[in-house]
Amino acid sequence: QVQLVESGGGLVQAGGSLRLSCAASARTFSTYAMGWFRQVPGKEREFVSAIRRSGSIYYADSVKGRFTISRDNAKNTVYLQMNSLKPEDTAVYYCATSGSPSTIATIKSSFGYTNWGQGTQVTVSS
């Protein structure tokens, strides 16, 4: 069981930036694909971004050009730099691990992930 702890959420004005971090307990962190998802009350968890162990990166269309995912395997940490934030980015953000997602569809689906953090709230005011 991999433990994930997100941090970096908070309240920011529209147009501002936040950097989320997700620290993993696993020494095998480098073997995992890592994903970021977000969820607002009453809606399904939504894919935001993912990074494979190979370094291949994926983004949801809604965040492309504004968000940047990265990972530091030496620190067992994945990051999500969020710029030009919009009120519609308001959500609880979760990081998650995936073993070997075989397809892009899998890596963009919450069903492709096995371990989840507790989430961090991001609120963007207009």
Side-chain angles (χ1 to χ4, degrees):
Q1 186 77 8
V2 178
Q3 292 187 330
L4 303 171
V5 179
E6 300 100 334
S7 61
L11 173 64
V12 65
Q13 287 189 331
S17 298
L18 285 173
R19 187 194 195 202
L20 304 184
S21 300
C22 172
S25 63
R27 288 181 291 177
T28 54
F29 173 81
S30 64
T31 68
Y32 290 105
M34 298 297 299
W36 286 98
F37 289 76
R38 64 188 182 188
Q39 190 170 24
V40 297
K43 291 191 175 182
E44 291 187 356
R45 198 162 290 189
E46 175 189 34
F47 171 77
V48 175
S49 182
I51 182 167
R52 292 186 183 270
R53 58 183 182 181
S54 66
S56 296
I57 287 173
Y58 307 87
Y59 295 104
D61 288 343
S62 59
V63 307
K64 204 170 292 183
R66 300 188 297 122
F67 290 11
T68 302
I69 191 171
S70 61
R71 64 190 298 164
D72 185 337
N73 290 336
K75 295 183 178 180
N76 287 0
T77 301
V78 62
Y79 304 96
L80 187 68
Q81 177 68 44
M82 304 187 297
N83 299 328
S84 302
L85 283 162
K86 304 176 181 180
E88 51 264 42
D89 294 318
T90 295
V92 177
Y93 283 71
Y94 300 89
C95 69
T97 66
S98 178
S100 297
S102 57
T103 66
I104 294 176
T106 301
I107 205 168
K108 292 183 175 182
S109 168
S110 62
F111 294 105
Y113 294 79
T114 51
N115 298 290
W116 293 83
Q118 83 289 349
T120 185
Q121 176 71 47
V122 171
T123 303
V124 184
S125 63
S126 58

